[in-house]
Amino acid sequence: MRYLEITVPEGKRRAVLDVLEDEGIDYVVSDETSGRGYTAVVRFPIPTQAVEPLLDRLRRAGIGDEASVVVLNAETVVSEQFTTLRERYSRGGQTGSRTSRQVLRTKADELTPPFAIYTVMLLISAVVATAGLLADSPAVVIGAMVIAPLLGPALAANVGIVTGDDRLKSTGFRYQVVGVTMVIVASIGLAMLARIAGLEPAGVDIVVATELEERVAPNLFSLAVALGAGIAGILSLTRGFSEAIVGVMIAAALIPPSAAVGITVAWGMSGAAIGAAVLVIVNLLSINLAALATLWIAGYRPQGLFEVSPTRTSTYTYAAIFGVGLLVLAAPLAGVTLLDFHTTELESATEAEVNAVLAESRYDGLEADEVEVELDGDYPIQSVERIVVTVSSSEPGPVPGLADRLYEEISPHSDAGVAVEVQYVVTQQRGGNGDQQVSIRSADGP
């Protein structure tokens, strides 16, 4: 329930009261004596679902922006007339507390912090996220998501689109672009300092050694987080769910990938940086597209006679931009997804072939320890470079012909030119306690 207070401009008192009486609203009217061009103050309770249609009707009656409208939450209303009004607006099962678009604008604006605070919080988030990724610490990365104030801008931009609020729209988009850019730049600076300080693992791929791998080679499943965040963000705004939890979800789609761009740029890994940057842009488009579609489907749009068509055109235009951009940039993600499927199938087929070969009598005493499909590290779209089969044996040295035999069986399942390497782990039995100790590791290839 809501409690409205309307300060009525001179000459509009009768028009306002006629609308309220026609709606069956029980109101209280007081004379306004400040001498500022107002004639009365009208106060009345109203069901939440009725706020938006009532304000639209008042606007059509000529009550424009010169009137002052205050919308408050009402805990309880004891009135037979109000009960009748609530039942009328609840027909058709519409019993939910759908927020009016006027209140929606205010809530979206309130969730967007002042730019100075926004900047400071994002810089802190960038530092924490970069440190968490370099330290390979999921807990620290999650902390960075909690800090980032990205919910407000994402929602404000799309609320501005569907309600025709150009100021809210431009503020939302500007905050999003500036925020992501700021995180990337800050991450580059911090990663450069980390590299100069000698934190780079010697001879180790920084992507493999940290939490970066899933961000520099994203697949189509990455879209689920961003799309879900956009939808959940709008629902939290319109239905009163927890904005804090949804804010973490939006930050999860943007902060770690943005920090990954900075780290890979600092490490001079252009391919990995491109992969992370594609993920950032795709997530931005996904969040905005999902939020825009959810708002439009929920019916948030101007209802005036002259407002619907221009706003519908603007919404369709932005939806087309988001959708086309998403389809174009999703192509690399589809390639990574196909590679993931291929790698999984190849690993499964290789394990089956290795077990079948080692089951032959001439290879008694050999056991398959591990099968690993290694990629070439050419981010963001990699390819299979080699297949490493680890075999345990009680005898030292490679088994003649085993590598060639495995290659013959595995090669039909793999692409041309993929190498098959067999590594031998020779084990020795310690006296009495049954423990095994790895003593020799050697490799063989076809």
Side-chain angles (χ1 to χ4, degrees), residues 13 33 58 120 170 173 198 215 222 334 345-346 361 435:
R13 176 171 178 158
T33 59
L58 288 172
V120 172
S170 61
F173 282 129
R215 275 106 187 179
S222 304
E345 292 176 353
L346 180 57
S361 58
D435 293 338

Side-chain angles (χ1 to χ4, degrees), residues 20-336:
L20 297 181
E21 290 172 359
D22 186 60
E23 290 285 337
I25 295 174
D26 193 6
Y27 63 86
V28 175
V29 60
S30 305
D31 291 334
E32 212 286 327
T33 59
S34 66
R36 295 179 298 143
Y38 298 104
T39 183
V41 178
V42 182
R43 303 176 180 88
F44 52 91
I46 191 173
T48 301
Q49 301 95 318
V51 173
E52 187 172 345
L54 176 65
L55 293 180
D56 287 335
R57 185 170 178 182
L58 288 172
R59 180 175 290 274
R60 290 194 295 270
I63 312 302
D65 294 335
E66 70 275 12
S68 174
V69 180
V70 179
V71 182
L72 304 173
N73 287 326
E75 294 294 334
T76 304
V77 177
V78 181
S79 168
E80 184 176 343
Q81 189 168 352
F82 180 82
T83 301
T84 302
L85 183 66
R86 181 170 55 189
E87 290 175 353
R88 177 156 62 87
Y89 275 97
S90 298
R91 288 175 184 170
Q94 296 178 352
T95 58
S97 56
R98 177 185 181 272
T99 304
S100 68
R101 73 177 189 284
Q102 291 84 2
V103 175
L104 191 68
R105 288 177 178 175
T106 302
K107 291 179 69 175
D109 203 16
E110 290 176 348
L111 285 173
T112 304
F115 189 74
I117 296 176
Y118 181 74
T119 300
V120 172
M121 294 299 289
L122 272 185
L123 287 175
I124 296 173
S125 178
V127 171
V128 175
T130 305
L133 290 174
L134 288 174
D136 198 24
S137 173
V140 176
V141 176
I142 292 172
M145 301 174 194
V146 176
I147 296 171
L150 292 174
L151 175 63
L155 303 185
N158 295 283
V159 170
I161 291 173
V162 299
T163 60
D165 191 328
D166 292 335
R167 182 197 62 81
L168 199 59
K169 176 181 66 178
S170 61
T171 299
F173 282 129
R174 185 175 69 253
Y175 268 54
Q176 288 182 71
V177 174
V178 171
V180 169
T181 303
M182 191 182 307
V183 173
I184 293 174
V185 172
S187 297
I188 292 175
L190 185 62
M192 288 293 294
L193 291 175
R195 190 174 185 186
I196 292 172
L199 299 182
E200 177 181 6
V204 176
D205 185 352
I206 186 66
V207 170
V208 177
T210 64
E211 272 211 337
L212 292 174
E213 192 162 16
E214 65 187 55
R215 275 106 187 179
V216 301
N219 56 34
L220 286 175
F221 297 111
S222 304
L223 293 176
V225 175
L227 290 172
I231 296 172
I234 293 302
L235 292 178
S236 71
L237 195 64
T238 60
R239 301 293 178 176
F241 300 151
S242 173
E243 288 95 355
I245 296 175
V246 179
V248 173
M249 192 174 179
I250 290 179
L254 296 176
I255 294 297
S258 299
V261 174
I263 294 172
T264 49
V265 167
W267 253 262
M269 303 176 67
S270 58
I274 291 173
V278 167
L279 179 59
V280 171
I281 298 173
V282 164
N283 284 349
L284 273 174
L285 293 173
S286 300
I287 290 170
N288 284 279
L289 179 61
L292 186 60
T294 304
L295 280 168
W296 187 261
I297 292 171
Y300 287 99
R301 63 195 76 135
Q303 300 296 319
L305 295 176
F306 303 102
E307 294 178 288
V308 172
S309 180
T311 305
R312 179 180 291 129
T313 300
S314 175
T315 303
Y316 289 166
T317 300
Y318 277 99
I321 293 173
F322 296 153
V324 172
L326 192 57
L327 287 175
V328 171
L329 292 175
L333 274 64
V336 175

